[in-house]
Structure formats: structure tokens, C-alpha cells
């Protein structure tokens, strides 16, 4: 099994299947053209599947497919279908910016209907275009959410990264969305993983501020956690009409319960979003390592998982990889 030296069991894997993205969100990807990894450096679908099988054998129960923008990589739907067939995996989920969902939601439903999370940071089309630095992104993403619901994908979650002065005036508007539509809304605190290095503590809209904004308008009741490693604080509306979640890694860190491991598109294991050190599994995969060798390597990497993200420490160092290259 995968267990780190602090006794945490690892059963969630996030696979970033590509470093490419068609958006340039202000809190994530640089607007400057970046050099993408060469194709030969990206793990192939077969390589990702092999790692996934070995990791499922070591106790991974849930895989989230992310990126960059995962729906941009050809073959991703078939990949998801094949992940669904891995023995021991209980859950396959997808995080997407939603831009391609109008064309792909039905195929995804046929591929085993992964749980889908779509990022949508404003209910105002012009503002959303400024956040994503992509024209007409709002219309496409809203159509994507509709397509996911029509294709029967459930639950559909919407992630909102709040940045003070940008979209914190829309908290109640998002709560209304959660009440109006069959959508689970989750607010995410802004983390120092942006390419522009603009993150400042003052820009973080905390969990408390979010609850304080919604509660007087729509009273909230906290929902007890299902499992210790659940990252979102969940609240239902007291009148029973929907729920919202808050992921608060900055103001209420959950590192003590972290159960995650990440694989980047270029085959690096990351034991924390904020890891300064990576474990390069690609040379093993490509140079004849057995499944046993891979398992031993991954167990050793996990044993070195960081105690905490250290965002709140005075000597915190932002990792050189930004979110688009890690996979959120
Ligand atoms: N492109 C897809 C998307 O946007 O959903 C998947 C990859 S994206 C990196 C995964 C999640 O990370 C998104 O929900 C995004 O909002 C979130 N994210 C990106 N940068 C972040 C940051 N600096 N702080 C907090 N969340 C961030
Ligand atoms: Fe792309 Fe997602 Fe990052 Fe936005 S948050 S730039 S959509 S990877």
C-alpha cells in the first residue's frame, strides 16, 4: 500500500494528461507564449495506463484526469473508458475548462460518465473573457455545462477560484447558480501557483469570508465530512435547495489528511502541489522497468511526501511549475 512517513494513506491520483491549454487564466497560465513540452516527452496513453494499473494495485481508488486542458489531447475519451476498466479503481473524474464539452459530453457519457468538474470564474461574460484571456469563453463554457447535464453526467461540479478585486463581488451570484441549476458549486482559494507570480495573501478570499457573504442571504448548514481526506468544506442551503463547497488550502489547510499523488504530463511524480522536488518515473517506464520496479519507485516517492504545503510559512518558495504544468 502507499503510505507516507507521517502515516497518511494515499488513494487519490491526479493525472495531468497534457500541458497544453486553450485558455490563459490569470491565476494559472502565463499569457506569454510558452514552450510546450515536446510530444516525445509526454507520457503516452499506454504509459499512463500502466502507471495507473500499478498504482491501483497499491491502493489508489480514485483517478482525476486533468491538465492543462485534458479534452485537448486526442484519445482522452478512450483513455477514460480504459481507466474505468482497471480493477480496484472506484472512481474516475475529469476536471476541464468546459470549452470542448459541447462536442464531447456525449462521448464522455458513453465512455463511462466520469464525474465532471468545470471551471467557471465569473457569471459575467466580459469579466470571464478577461480572466481566461480568451474571447467568448463564457458562452462556450456555459454551453459545455448544459451539454454535460444533457448527456446525463452527474454530478456536474463548477470550480470558482476567487481572486479579491476580480470576482469576489459574485459570491452570492454563484450561490444562486448552485440553487437554480443541478450543479455543485465549489469555491477554491487562490494558491501561489500562478505563472504571473501575482499571488499575494491579500488576494485570497478566505473560506470564512465566503460563508459570511452567503449565509445572510441564503442560510447555510455545514454537511459533515464523508471521509477525512475530503478536501471541500460542504454546506447545504438550509431550505434544502442545493449545496456549495469551499476548498480552503490557504486559510484552513488540510495537509494532515492529504491522500493525493500527482503524475504530470511529462511523467514526474509530485507528492504535493507545492513540491520543490519531483520523482521522474518516465526513464523507468521507458527503459524496461518491471511493474515491481515501478511499484517500489512509487512507494519510495510517496514515503517522502511533504508534511505540509508551507504556504503560510515565512520562507515559503513557490514551485517553478505553475498550475497548468502540474494539474489541479
Ligand atoms: N484546464 C482545466 C480547468 O481549468 O478546469 C483543468 C486544469 S486546471 C489547472 C485545474 C483546476 O485548478 C481548475 O479548477 C483551476 O481553476 C484551478 N487552478 C488553477 N490555478 C489555480 C490557482 N493558482 N489557485 C487555485 N486554483 C487554481
Ligand atoms: Fe488552462 Fe485550466 Fe489553467 Fe485556465 S485553469 S489556464 S483553463 S489549465
Amino acid at each position: 500500500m502507499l503510505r507516507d512517513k507521517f502515516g497518511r494513506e494515499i488513494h487519490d491520483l491526479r493525472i495531468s494528461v497534457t500541458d497544453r491549454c486553450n485558455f490563459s487564466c490569470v491565476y494559472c497560465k502565463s499569457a506569454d507564449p510558452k514552450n510546450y513540452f515536446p510530444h516525445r516527452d509526454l507520457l503516452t496513453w499506454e504509459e499512463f495506463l500502466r502507471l495507473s494499473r500499478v498504482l491501483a494495485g497499491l491502493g489508489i481508488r480514485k483517478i482525476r484526469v486533468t491538465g492543462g486542458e485534458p479534452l485537448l489531447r486526442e484519445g482522452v475519451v478512450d483513455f477514460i473508458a480504459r481507466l474505468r476498466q482497471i480493477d480496484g479503481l472506484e472512481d474516475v473524474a475529469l476536471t476541464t475548462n468546459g470549452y470542448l464539452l459541447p462536442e464531447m459530453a456525449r462521448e464522455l457519457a458513453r465512455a463511462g460518465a466520469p464525474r465532471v468538474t468545470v471551471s467557471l470564474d465569473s457569471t459575467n461574460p466580459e469579466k470571464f473573457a478577461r480572466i481566461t484571456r480568451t474571447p467568448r469563453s463564457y458562452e462556450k463554457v456555459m454551453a459545455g455545462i448544459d451539454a454535460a447535464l444533457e448527456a446525463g453526467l452527474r454530478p456536474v461540479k463548477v470550480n470558482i477560484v476567487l481572486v479579491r478585486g476580480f470576482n469576489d463581488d459574485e459570491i452570492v451570484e454563484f450561490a444562486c447558480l448552485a440553487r437554480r441549476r443541478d450543479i455543485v458549486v465549489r469555491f477554491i482559494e487562490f494558491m501561489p501557483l500562478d505563472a504571473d507570480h501575482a499571488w499575494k495573501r491579500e488576494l485570497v478570499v478566505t473560506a470564512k469570508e465566503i460563508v459570511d457573504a452567503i449565509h445572510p442571504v441564503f442560510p447555510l448548514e455545514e454537511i459533515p465530512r464523508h471521509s477525512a481526506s475530503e478536501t471541500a468544506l460542504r454546506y447545504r442551503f438550509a431550505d434544502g435547495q442545493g449545496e456549495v463547497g469551499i476548498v480552503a488550502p490557504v486559510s484552513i489547510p488540510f495537509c494532515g489528511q492529504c491522500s493525493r499523488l500527482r503524475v504530470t504530463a511529462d511523467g514526474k511524480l509530485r507528492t504535493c502541489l507545492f513540491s520543490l522536488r519531483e520523482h521522474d518515473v518516465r526513464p523507468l517506464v521507458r527503459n524496461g522497468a518491471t511493474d515491481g520496479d515501478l511499484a517500489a519507485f512509487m512507494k519510495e516517492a510517496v514515503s517522502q511526501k511533504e508534511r505540509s504545503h508551507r504556504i503560510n510559512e515565512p520562507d515559503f518558495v513557490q514551485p517553478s511549475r505553475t498550475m497548468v504544468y502540474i494539474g489541479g
Side-chain angles (χ1 to χ4, degrees), residues 73-149:
R73 185 157 175 191
E74 205 181 327
V76 67
V77 177
D78 184 51
F79 175 61
I80 288 170
R82 293 175 71 191
L83 284 179
R84 300 294 304 222
Q85 290 160 9
I86 293 179
D87 279 346
L89 267 193
E90 290 162 8
D91 189 12
V92 178
L94 170 75
T95 303
T96 169
N97 64 25
Y99 194 88
L100 293 172
L101 274 178
E103 293 89 49
M104 297 178 73
R106 279 186 191 286
E107 272 182 84
L108 283 165
R110 280 196 294 274
R115 293 189 306 111
V116 174
T117 300
V118 181
S119 305
L120 175 78
D121 304 298
S122 179
T123 55
N124 173 314
E126 287 92 58
K127 201 197 284 187
F128 191 54
R130 281 204 305 280
I131 293 174
T132 56
R133 296 188 276 216
T134 307
R136 294 195 52 76
S137 46
Y138 179 82
E139 292 77 359
K140 286 288 286 193
V141 173
M142 287 308 283
I145 292 171
D146 290 342
L149 290 169

Side-chain angles (χ1 to χ4, degrees), residues 27-28 66-69 95-97 119 159 161 189-191 323 328:
Y27 52 74
C28 178
T66 179
E69 175 42 43
T95 303
T96 169
N97 64 25
S119 305
N159 272 359
V161 177
E189 288 182 349
F190 180 27
M191 292 181 277
M323 196 60 133

Side-chain angles (χ1 to χ4, degrees), residues 164-178:
R164 194 180 306 285
F166 239 113
N167 55 358
D168 53 330
D169 55 338
E170 295 188 57
I171 295 173
V172 172
E173 195 54 47
F174 275 114
C176 290
L177 187 70

